[in-house]
Amino acid sequence: MSEDLQKYAHIPLKQKSNRVWRTYEGGALIDRWKKMTPEVDGQMPEQWIMSTITARGNGRPEDEGLSLIETEDGVFPLKDLINSDLDLYLGKDLAEKFGTTGVLIKMLDSMERLTVQVHPDKNYAKTVFNSEFGKTESWYVLNTREIDGEKPVVYMGFKKHVTKEIWKTHFENQDIKGMLDCLHKIEVKPGDAFMIYGGVPHAIGAGCFLMEVQEPTDYTMRVEKTTPAGLKIGPELIHQGVGEEKMLECFHYDTFTIDEALNEWKITPEVLEESAEHTFKTLFNKKHTNCFGLSELLLDGEHTIKGNGCFYVAVIYSGDGVIDCNGKQYDYKQGDEIFISAAILEITFRSHEASKILLCYPPS
């Protein structure tokens, strides 16, 4: 069967819908992006894209989070296709270094504020979880909405007055207001982009629809034991099984003024190419992290992308058209998520309707 699966490395691969349960509510703007009705907020506020990892959480389906690809031979987990020939799908360098994609992509829509949390950096992930990957991530804000009259915001980074002792006391007392007051509160709008490195405390506020490109783990340390909507969170989702003391060590206790925080983590997209038919921007690249990359193609015509020896993922945020690949044409439309294997040396996007295409890349 592995030889049969290798043939799919030569065509663009679209994934089936892959919604994932989380501790917070949202998802209506994902429905809108997917052109699904009704647009509903609930406990499935994330769409995981080209995922080869499962979501963490007790009582959830065993394979929740794994991406599925529909082929002429049936439906296969992306993981199985990749494992049929790592070099062919991932590219030789990535296959040898990681043996996996090395990246996870999410669409995330929050109807309520997410719990205050932190993710491990690589050192913590290695020593505590025996994982090659931490959970450095990036946010690219695609759309926003006001919830109960509140403008959309994010929280990140400790203010200057914060110490580990202050933070621990707020956690032990479950002083949520005190914890939020320790973090910088930043109003956001579509087009804003942020890096969230492992160890940086943060929370996404209500009303944010964003793409999150990150290292491929689901390690999240939470300091709130009850969500803003009143859901009790079990210990496994608070400290991931390592205990509360060890969980508090995941935080980096560096402090920042608001200007320092914005300078550290807010990213300005940069135009790399421009023509009458396309604009190609880089958002997250080697200047910010070697964990992943994200670019944006604004297309009103056609544009050819040449391979660089590794896979990438094209997420169609808006528009529709066709993809020319190895002598054949494939349709694309808003809401599609497309895996382009390393074996594909060149593709051409041709828009029928002006398109915004988000291009996600593995570790450099």
Side-chain angles (χ1 to χ4, degrees), residues 139 141 144 151-154 156 186-190 192 194 207-208:
W139 300 339
V141 181
T144 57
K151 293 189 180 299
V153 299
V154 295
M156 67 182 71
I186 303 165
E187 192 173 319
V188 296
K189 63 185 185 305
D192 286 346
F194 300 90
C208 298

Side-chain angles (χ1 to χ4, degrees), residues 191-206:
D192 286 346
F194 300 90
M195 281 295 309
I196 308 298
Y197 297 101
V200 175
H202 61 273
I204 296 170

Side-chain angles (χ1 to χ4, degrees), residues 35-49:
K35 297 189 174 180
M36 296 171 59
T37 54
E39 298 171 4
V40 178
D41 285 309
Q43 292 291 161
M44 310 291 278
E46 295 182 8
Q47 169 83 352
W48 286 22
I49 298 174

Side-chain angles (χ1 to χ4, degrees), residues 19 85 181 188 202 206 238 257 284 337 360 363-364:
R19 296 289 281 270
D85 192 319
D181 285 346
V188 296
H202 61 273
I238 297 290
T257 66
F284 308 109
E337 302 138 1
C360 310
S364 56

